Amino acid sequence: MTKKILLLHGPNLNLLGTREPDVYGSLTLEQINRIAEAHARRHDVELRAEQSNHEGALIDILHAARNWADGAVFNPGAYTHTSIALRDAISATALPVVEVHLSNVHAREPFRHVSMLAPVCVGQVVGFGWRSYLLGIDGLLGKLGVLPEPEL
Ligand code: DQA
């Protein structure tokens, strides 16, 4: 059966394209979503993208994903560094979630070095701009057994 994945964006990411382009790049969220959808489709995977600026709404989206998604790629924005509630939501869904960031959070302010969510995610991709999302998708598809194992 076709795998389905959630691509979830947190607060302020709706402003991509105009928001600090030197840090986050010049692509809009819509453009990133289109690139990610096309990337997933190449592997016969359906991707649904959602964004919210609200912690509770993000939690609701994760809860709902239990009923349709095989996993998620999630850029939690600043909630990465603060949200125990989102961490609990990821644990509660029991879905594999990959945490992604456009910027290299480890090369920025110390408060961005800590992720509340990383310990309950299957992996983390940081620092590759919009390509972080594609790398996150590939990592998730590897975990879901969609990508072929290498021939050795
Ligand atoms: C971000 C990094 C976060 O620290 C920041 O709050 C964001 C964007 C990134 O994609 O690089 O909103 O998640």
Side-chain angles (χ1 to χ4, degrees):
M1 218 171 59
T2 306
K3 298 275 189 209
K4 297 189 182 76
I5 60 175
L6 167 67
L7 176 57
L8 185 56
H9 308 275
N12 299 306
L13 295 166
N14 54 311
L15 300 183
L16 284 179
T18 54
R19 176 193 181 198
E20 300 177 77
D22 45 318
V23 180
Y24 299 118
S26 57
L27 295 191
T28 65
L29 190 64
E30 205 189 308
Q31 288 169 328
I32 289 175
N33 285 342
R34 252 190 282 137
I35 293 166
E37 268 162 37
H39 187 75
R41 221 177 304 124
R42 262 178 243 130
H43 299 293
D44 270 333
V45 169
E46 185 186 322
L47 179 146
R48 292 188 208 166
E50 305 216 41
Q51 188 273 334
S52 177
N53 292 320
H54 305 279
E55 192 174 20
L58 292 165
I59 291 169
D60 288 342
I61 292 167
L62 286 166
H63 288 181
R66 275 181 311 170
N67 300 319
W68 65 268
D70 297 292
V73 172
F74 186 18
N75 184 346
Y79 287 139
T80 306
H81 319 297
T82 62
S83 181
I84 296 168
L86 277 171
R87 177 192 176 123
D88 286 351
I90 292 169
S91 298
T93 64
L95 289 172
V97 175
V98 178
E99 180 186 319
V100 304
H101 299 282
L102 295 143
S103 65
N104 179 359
V105 285
H106 301 291
R108 300 181 64 195
E109 303 95 323
F111 65 83
R112 293 187 205 275
H113 299 179
V114 175
S115 170
M116 292 289 165
L117 311 188
V120 295
C121 289
V122 293
Q124 193 189 41
V125 181
V126 309
F128 296 100
W130 59 270
R131 287 190 179 86
S132 288
Y133 291 97
L134 305 193
L135 295 167
I137 290 168
D138 283 355
L140 180 61
L141 297 187
K143 295 276 181 196
L144 294 175
V146 172
L147 294 182
E149 292 298 314
E151 277 177 37
L152 301 172

